[in-house]
Amino acid sequence: MIRNIVFDMGNVLVFYDGMRVCEHYIENEHDRKVVFNGLFLSPEWVYLDMGVISEEQAMKQICARLPERLHEAVQLCMRDWHLYNMQTNDEMEAVVWELKAKGYGIYLCSNASMRLPECYKDYLPALDCFDGILFSAEEKCIKPQKEIYEHFFEKFDLKPEECFFIDDLQLNIDGAKACGMDGYCFADRDIGKLKKVLDQLKED
């Protein structure tokens, strides 16, 4: 029986678009793409989510690969990305409150750097509903590695078979299933379909 609903954050509870901060600081379209790729698609961005590198070290390595004329822009984008790239998914607030009212435990398990613990409260819908929040950088591993799911279950004393995971990436759902937690891929962001899946949980 499912007793707990576990949410990812980016593009589930919160809309996320890495290009937004680039558009704010960089006028030239080509340069925007270069900075976006160099920052948000870099190995350093993954290392930040894993909590194994500082922002200062990540910036040094990223800038070493980019033209010097873009260094100031990439530094601004790194400094302020959380102010522009994330937007609360207001439709999900009602979903979370409804699940809480039905008696589910509500949890968050998200790949995120150490920046997020400082600012997530500004963006997470239905914040008061959450019984536990885990960010990957705090655990030094990321989804879909099995270790992050194992740490999640241990940290909050949860049974995998009693949890249902909602993420926008199928590989993260597959990783959860490999650890005993079923889930649903929310890649299409269709709230109606998600509600039907969640309603079915009680029936099962």
Side-chain angles (χ1 to χ4, degrees):
M1 180 179 179
I2 300 299
R3 302 180 186 277
N4 307 291
I5 307 299
V6 185
F7 289 93
D8 175 39
M9 187 168 176
N11 289 326
V12 176
L13 295 171
V14 172
F15 296 120
Y16 181 87
D17 181 358
M19 186 59 77
R20 286 173 59 87
V21 71
C22 298
E23 291 172 343
H24 179 79
Y25 283 116
I26 305 168
E27 183 175 347
N28 181 274
E29 183 177 357
H30 175 266
D31 287 349
R32 273 190 221 136
K33 292 179 179 178
V34 171
V35 170
F36 172 84
N37 291 333
L39 177 57
F40 298 112
L41 301 183
S42 69
E44 287 79 15
W45 196 255
V46 177
Y47 301 152
L48 287 168
D49 280 355
M50 293 182 74
V52 297
I53 190 174
S54 68
E55 289 192 2
E56 291 74 18
Q57 183 61 36
M59 196 83 290
K60 182 178 179 180
Q61 294 176 193
I62 289 168
C63 284
R65 296 194 297 267
L66 294 175
E68 187 173 352
R69 63 184 179 81
L70 295 179
H71 287 186
E72 182 179 359
V74 74
Q75 288 167 354
L76 289 171
C77 289
M78 171 64 94
R79 186 191 71 187
D80 293 342
W81 67 264
H82 64 288
L83 301 177
Y84 295 94
N85 294 358
M86 296 190 294
Q87 292 179 302
T88 302
N89 185 344
D90 293 327
E91 285 187 293
M92 290 299 290
E93 181 155 8
V95 172
V96 175
W97 276 107
E98 184 176 341
L99 290 168
K100 190 67 174 179
K102 289 180 178 180
Y104 287 109
I106 306 294
Y107 294 87
L108 179 75
C109 181
S110 180
N111 285 352
S113 70
M114 291 307 296
R115 177 85 63 91
L116 263 293
E118 301 174 7
C119 64
Y120 76 92
K121 293 179 181 179
D122 294 332
Y123 304 97
L124 193 65
L127 178 63
D128 292 341
C129 291
F130 284 82
D131 299 288
I133 291 173
L134 182 148
F135 291 119
S136 59
E138 298 172 323
E139 307 301 324
K140 300 297 187 288
C141 53
I142 59 173
K143 299 177 295 184
Q145 292 178 300
K146 67 177 182 178
E147 289 82 4
I148 192 168
Y149 303 108
E150 291 171 348
H151 291 171
F152 173 78
F153 301 135
E154 181 179 0
K155 181 173 184 176
F156 300 115
D157 193 23
L158 301 174
K159 297 178 180 179
E161 65 273 14
E162 294 181 352
C163 299
F164 190 82
F165 187 41
I166 302 166
D167 196 290
D168 65 314
L169 297 177
Q170 186 61 48
L171 79 165
N172 291 339
I173 297 296
D174 293 341
K177 288 183 176 181
C179 294
M181 176 168 61
D182 200 3
Y184 174 74
C185 183
F186 188 56
D188 61 6
R189 304 184 191 177
D190 188 322
I191 296 283
K193 286 171 61 177
L194 174 62
K195 287 181 177 179
K196 290 179 181 179
V197 170
L198 293 171
D199 288 342
Q200 188 67 32
L201 296 179
K202 281 295 185 184
E203 296 176 12
D204 293 343

